[in-house]
Amino acid sequence: IVGAGFYSMRTLFGMDDFSMPEALAFGALISATDPVTTLAIFEQLHVDQDLFNVVFGESVLNDAVSIVLYHTFIKYYDNFTGSVTIGDVARSLGEVAWIFGGSLALGIALAFGAAMVLKFAQSRSSFLMHGKQMELALFVLSCYTPFLVAESLELSGIVAILFAGVVTRRYTVVNLSEETRDRSEAIVSVLAYLAESL
């Protein structure tokens, strides 16, 4: 809506050479919301964890959709002929669905794989010999891997880690020792704080 509005009013801004893909890419970027302040206030007020998770999840999903839409629209910049066909719209919708669906499936699959590895590694004597550091290292790597794999496949790393995080919280964390669970929560909260602050 923002991109289409900007494109229709481009002459008011003196930007007659601004193309439709540029306007839509701009609209996708500018429409993403950032609720860092809201979430910080929620933490200070100790609001219900479910409310916090809904607001956080919605903001991450908005960011992911904005990035996917931006990448989709910017691909049409070089080849834009001045008109948009039904085929262009269908191809764009298909690309968005492919990126989102592929990222979702990849994140879920890798998180389930990590859950299985950590579950069966607990019984291996070689794993136990290396201690909690090995368990923590595997857990942290399994959390970052969906992002790296998705980005290398030109999918959305944010969507992949969002859904990997949901699966990890439900299925992987229960396979960690209590000490590793406490350490991983401390590490994740520090990294989240740094990411939001910088």
Side-chain angles (χ1 to χ4, degrees):
I1 292 174
V2 172
F6 185 71
Y7 182 72
S8 66
M9 295 188 301
R10 68 190 186 282
T11 55
L12 293 175
F13 298 112
M15 304 175 101
D16 292 330
D17 58 339
F18 212 67
S19 69
M20 174 76 86
E22 288 175 306
L24 293 175
F26 173 76
L29 283 179
I30 205 74
S31 296
T33 58
D34 191 16
V36 171
T37 305
T38 304
L39 294 174
I41 292 170
F42 280 3
E43 275 191 40
Q44 288 178 352
L45 297 176
H46 304 291
V47 299
D48 183 44
Q49 190 65 33
D50 289 337
L51 176 61
F52 181 91
N53 290 339
V54 166
V55 171
F56 177 75
E58 187 269 339
S59 71
V60 171
L61 203 55
N62 275 350
D63 291 349
V65 168
S66 292
I67 290 169
V68 169
L69 287 174
Y70 171 79
H71 286 295
T72 301
F73 294 140
I74 209 68
K75 286 181 181 178
Y76 291 100
Y77 173 70
D78 291 333
N79 301 327
F80 186 67
T81 61
S83 63
V84 178
T85 65
I86 297 293
D88 292 335
V89 172
R91 191 170 37 259
S92 295
L93 289 174
E95 188 172 329
V96 168
W98 167 254
I99 291 172
F100 195 85
S103 302
L104 183 146
L106 180 70
I108 289 172
L110 289 175
F112 273 125
M116 297 302 288
V117 166
L118 285 168
K119 181 176 184 172
F120 292 113
Q122 294 293 345
S123 62
R124 306 290 287 185
S125 61
S126 60
F127 183 79
L128 295 174
M129 184 176 59
H130 293 287
K132 305 301 179 205
Q133 289 81 10
M134 176 68 90
E135 185 181 28
L136 183 59
L138 280 174
F139 177 73
V140 171
L141 285 174
S142 72
C143 292
Y144 190 50
T145 300
F147 180 85
L148 294 175
V149 173
E151 289 294 324
S152 69
L153 295 174
E154 296 185 3
L155 297 172
S156 173
I158 292 177
V159 173
I161 60 170
L162 173 66
F163 289 100
V166 170
V167 172
T168 297
R169 184 69 175 176
R170 177 80 174 134
Y171 297 104
T172 307
V173 172
V174 297
N175 295 323
L176 298 174
S177 66
E178 188 173 338
E179 181 182 346
T180 302
R181 196 176 307 137
D182 292 340
R183 286 182 181 181
S184 66
E185 285 181 11
I187 288 172
V188 169
S189 66
V190 166
L191 291 175
Y193 177 77
L194 287 173
E196 291 170 359
S197 298
L198 301 177

